[in-house]
């Protein structure tokens, strides 16, 4: 009889029983975790999302306003003038656009764009600009190529080039606000990538040089007139530069992708605002932060991992204690694939309900969180749950997903299960398809936070453009990300650097969007614990929807200062009601007593409640 090792057989049997038991427990736990009862009856969205063909925004929409505004004299209608429009809106400078020299020179400050030459303006037009400066007024021009006005700007000739990647400002009274190295030197492109450099003009033998290219040649010059007039010549296409950055097409022309100060666009906008306020006696500008605060702060969470779901209430409790609402970008993953299990289910939806009850915003973080989102097909706008079934098979391998499907289905599910409107979106991996702006608009979104401020070289929100190009704007606004949680060191080791960045941005009313993944309650939690009290003395806090709705209403506010019959009047026109908007009034002027405006520090005035329509407020010295 062969030898039988009964203890060994028994041990194997016990091991098999234990293994089977563990498998049963695991399967049971998975089934319990992945219950979708609340999703079973859902089917939609049923309406089709239509993306309209790209057109061309009409500059005539901006062809109104009083002489107190900055006037843009448009010399080429096919230029990137939308870049100037969006930038000036962001920084709060009222402007008008015209192609009529006579109309432009009714304004004290005229910006000739995109270029000034004998080809773009006839003799009469150039003579009118000369007389404008000789009368003691101000002229700004980008790309001064000819036309016999060199002496007006104080230089001898122009040299065109594509050999420049940065500009450094000289010391000048109008540039006294420049205090940071990244303000003093701004980038035009990535220094190590010549293909990212844009066309430039250098001004030879200039009398006053305000800024120089990296090779020492003059990039920004100024000519003065005995009557007090000033003429500034800037050596590149500013509108194109702004729009290229806004469209995230500047070939990584930055020094810090995130968590650092990268204001190359903002510096030029601040410069324009400073010149306008210096040379226009009736200049009024619009604040960019609600309630008279200096910084607009938005705390956001990217919820794209099953382990994050169990941490949401801990972050909610911290936010509630601090009195800070936040936005939770939630991935609606209703299946299992390479990345993770289907954590958007009945069990985890309870956490979402708790967030909604606490006043938090629920926003979309797509369905599949694909690393290929930037290169997915657009889709036809009919994608709906449950037939939309994308799968991430591996990194670089996503199947069955479309740009529109990720937007439509995630928004539909979130709205159906929260009963709230979903208007904000952030893609996984911050991957931005070329047609994302118009796809967002077609799917019902209003606000995007899809790129870092460093990548866009601006810390100010702005309106997006169709196909991320140059000629047609959308209704969607972008809110750049200032702080993220993945670049070392860990977050609670860089609180001081984050506060320092916030203080820099507060000097000009920029935004401060924080991105955190709630996959742990450790260093990220401690970061929020420490930074929120530090920011509260000078920051306004709100959700992306709250900030975005305020910003969209602000974008439609028009403001003028009129001097008529011995009176000076502030004229505010709002297309929709807006609360807590700040105005910086002309130097030495204030509202008459009894007006609805509240004085803040350093000459700013807070308007608590602006109804739709026109409001006239008398000003006096």
């Amino acid at each position: 009889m062969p030898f039988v090792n009964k203890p060994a057989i028994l041990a194997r049997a016990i091991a098999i029983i234990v293994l089977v038991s563990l498998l049963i427990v695991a399967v049971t736990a998975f089934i319990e975790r992945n219950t979708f009862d609340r999703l079973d009856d859902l089917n939609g969205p049923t309406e089709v999302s239509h993306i309209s063909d790209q057109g061309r925004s009409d500059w005539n929409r901006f062809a109104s306003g009083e002489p107190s505004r900055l006037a843009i004299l448009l010399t080429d209608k096919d230029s990137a003038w939308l870049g100037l429009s969006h930038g000036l809106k962001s920084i709060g400078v009222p402007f008008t656009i015209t192609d009529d020299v006579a109309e432009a020179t009714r304004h004290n400050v005229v910006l000739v764009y995109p270029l000034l030459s004998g080809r773009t303006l006839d003799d009469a037009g150039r003579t009118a600009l000369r007389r404008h400066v000789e009368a003691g007024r101000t002229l700004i021009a980008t790309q001064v190529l000819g036309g016999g006005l060199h002496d007006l700007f104080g230089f001898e000739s122009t040299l065109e080039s594509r050999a420049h990647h940065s500009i450094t400002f000289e010391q000048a009274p109008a540039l006294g606000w420049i205090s940071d190295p990244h303000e003093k030197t701004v980038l035009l492109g990535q220094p190590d990538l010549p293909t990212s450099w844009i066309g430039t003009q250098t001004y030879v033998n200039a009398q006053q040089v305000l800024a120089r290219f990296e090779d020492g040649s003059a990039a920004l010059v100024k000519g003065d007139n005995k009557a007090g007039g000033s003429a500034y010549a800037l050596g590149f296409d500013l509108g194109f530069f702004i729009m290229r950055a806004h469209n995230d097409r500047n070939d990584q022309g930055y020094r810090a992708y995130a968590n650092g100060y990268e204001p190359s666009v903002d510096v030029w906008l601040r410069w324009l605002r400073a010149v306008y306020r210096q040379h226009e006696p009736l200049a009024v500008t619009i604040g960019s932060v609600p309630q008279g605060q200096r910084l607009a702060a938005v705390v956001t969470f990217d919820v794209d991992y099953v382990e994050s779901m169990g941490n949401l209430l801990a972050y909610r409790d911290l936010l509630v204690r601090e009195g800070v609402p936040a936005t939770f970008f939630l991935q609606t993953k209703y299946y299992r694939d390479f990345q993770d299990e289907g954590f958007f289910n009945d069990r985890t939806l309870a956490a979402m309900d708790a967030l909604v009850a606490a006043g938090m915003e629920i926003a979309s973080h797509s369905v599949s969180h694909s690393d290929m989102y930037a290169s997915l097909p657009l889709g036809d706008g009919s994608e709906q749950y449950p037939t939309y079934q994308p799968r991430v098979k591996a990194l670089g391998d996503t199947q069955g997903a479309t740009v529109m499907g990720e937007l439509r289905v995630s928004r539909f599910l979130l709205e159906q299960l929260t009963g709230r409107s979903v208007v904000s979106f952030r893609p996984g991996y911050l991957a931005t398809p070329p047609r994302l702006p118009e796809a967002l608009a077609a799917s019902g979104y209003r606000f995007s936070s899809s790129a870092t401020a460093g990548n866009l070289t601006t810390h100010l929100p702005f309106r997006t453009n169709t196909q991320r190009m140059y000629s047609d704007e959308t209704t969607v606004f972008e809110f750049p990300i200032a702080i993220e949680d993945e670049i070392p060191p860990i977050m609670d080791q860089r609180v001081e650097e984050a506060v320092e960045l916030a203080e820099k941005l507060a000097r000009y009313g920029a935004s401060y969007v924080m991105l955190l993944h709630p996959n742990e309650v450790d260093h990220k939690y401690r970061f929020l614990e420490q930074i929120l009290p530090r920011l509260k003395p000078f920051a306004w806090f709100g959700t992306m929807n709250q900030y975005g709705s305020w910003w969209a209403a602000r974008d439609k506010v028009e403001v003028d200062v009129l001097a008529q019959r011995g009176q000076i009047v502030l004229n505010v026109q709002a297309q929709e009601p807006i609360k807590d908007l700040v105005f910086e009034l002309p130097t030495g002027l204030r509202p008459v007593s009894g007006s609805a405006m509240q004085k803040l520090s350093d000459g700013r005035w807070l308007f608590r409640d602006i109804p739709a329509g026109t409001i006239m407020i008398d000003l006096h010295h």
Side-chain angles (χ1 to χ4, degrees), residues 474-551:
T474 75
T475 57
V476 175
F477 291 88
E478 176 68 30
F479 296 84
I481 300 160
I483 296 292
E484 62 80 62
D485 62 352
E486 294 185 325
I487 300 174
I490 59 175
M491 293 199 79
D492 64 347
Q493 294 180 9
R494 47 184 164 102
V495 173
E496 294 303 321
E497 290 82 356
V499 172
E500 181 182 356
L501 173 60
E503 291 171 343
K504 291 176 182 178
L505 299 179
R507 291 203 294 263
Y508 63 99
S511 62
Y512 192 76
V513 177
M514 292 173 268
L515 184 164
L516 297 89
H517 294 83
N519 59 307
E520 45 96 321
V521 186
D522 188 57
H523 65 93
K524 301 175 187 180
Y525 187 93
R526 291 194 297 273
F527 172 83
L528 282 181
E529 272 190 317
Q530 296 175 51
I531 199 169
L532 294 181
R534 299 278 297 276
L535 299 184
K536 280 185 176 180
F538 60 93
W540 170 89
F541 284 92
T543 66
M544 186 64 65
N545 187 7
Q546 289 168 338
Y547 185 36
S549 297
W550 183 89
W551 189 270

Side-chain angles (χ1 to χ4, degrees), residues 256-262 296 298-302 329 365 425-432 448-462 478-487 491 494 501 505 511-517 544 547:
Y257 171 74
N259 306 322
Y261 188 39
E262 192 52 86
V298 182
V299 180
T300 71
F301 296 88
D302 284 8
F329 288 97
H365 197 38
F425 177 78
R426 176 179 290 151
Y429 298 91
L430 301 185
T432 51
S448 166
S449 186
S450 302
T452 64
N455 207 35
L456 302 172
T457 63
T458 180
H459 295 268
L460 291 165
F462 56 87
E478 176 68 30
F479 296 84
I481 300 160
I483 296 292
E484 62 80 62
D485 62 352
E486 294 185 325
I487 300 174
M491 293 199 79
R494 47 184 164 102
L501 173 60
L505 299 179
S511 62
Y512 192 76
V513 177
M514 292 173 268
L515 184 164
L516 297 89
H517 294 83
M544 186 64 65
Y547 185 36

Side-chain angles (χ1 to χ4, degrees), residues 65-267:
E66 299 297 326
S68 61
R69 299 190 187 193
L70 180 149
I72 298 174
L73 177 58
L74 192 61
T75 59
D76 184 353
K77 300 172 186 177
D78 293 329
S79 62
W81 59 267
L82 268 177
L84 287 180
S85 167
H86 293 171
L88 291 171
K89 285 278 189 179
S90 292
I91 204 66
V93 173
F95 66 94
T96 185
I97 302 178
T98 180
D99 60 356
D100 183 351
V101 177
E103 175 61 31
T105 52
R106 291 177 58 239
H107 300 248
N108 283 319
V109 182
V110 177
L111 169 57
V112 181
Y113 177 82
L115 53 86
L116 176 56
S117 71
R119 181 179 62 83
T120 59
L121 279 179
D122 58 19
D123 289 342
R126 298 195 303 275
T127 298
L129 293 181
R130 179 179 293 278
R131 289 175 177 170
H132 181 77
V133 177
E134 291 174 346
R137 295 180 172 185
T138 302
L139 178 65
I140 309 166
T142 62
Q143 304 185 102
V144 180
L145 302 181
L149 296 178
H150 298 83
D151 62 307
L152 199 65
F153 297 94
F155 66 88
E156 290 184 0
S157 60
T158 303
L159 294 177
E160 294 196 78
S161 173
R162 291 193 68 89
H164 300 119
H165 56 70
S166 61
I167 294 177
T168 298
F169 287 92
E170 308 270 282
Q171 293 298 323
L175 300 170
W177 49 270
I178 291 179
S179 59
D180 187 90
H182 284 191
E183 294 169 347
K184 186 175 178 61
T185 297
V186 294
L187 297 182
L188 297 179
Q190 172 53 249
D192 298 327
L193 186 63
T195 55
S196 72
W197 304 351
I198 63 175
T200 57
Q201 296 78 40
T202 63
Y203 301 117
V204 179
N205 293 331
Q207 296 173 6
Q208 294 185 70
V209 179
L210 303 184
R212 297 182 185 275
F213 294 111
E214 70 275 12
D215 60 6
S217 57
L220 174 63
V221 303
K222 180 187 179 188
D224 289 325
N225 182 270
K226 293 180 180 179
S230 299
Y232 300 85
L234 180 59
F236 65 96
D237 186 334
L238 181 57
F240 172 78
F241 172 75
I242 295 170
M243 192 60 71
R244 188 180 71 152
H246 283 180
N247 290 332
D248 195 6
R249 295 182 180 274
N250 56 1
D251 293 321
Q252 300 182 357
Y254 52 77
R255 291 156 291 201
Y257 171 74
N259 306 322
Y261 188 39
E262 192 52 86
S264 289
V265 167
D266 298 348
V267 165

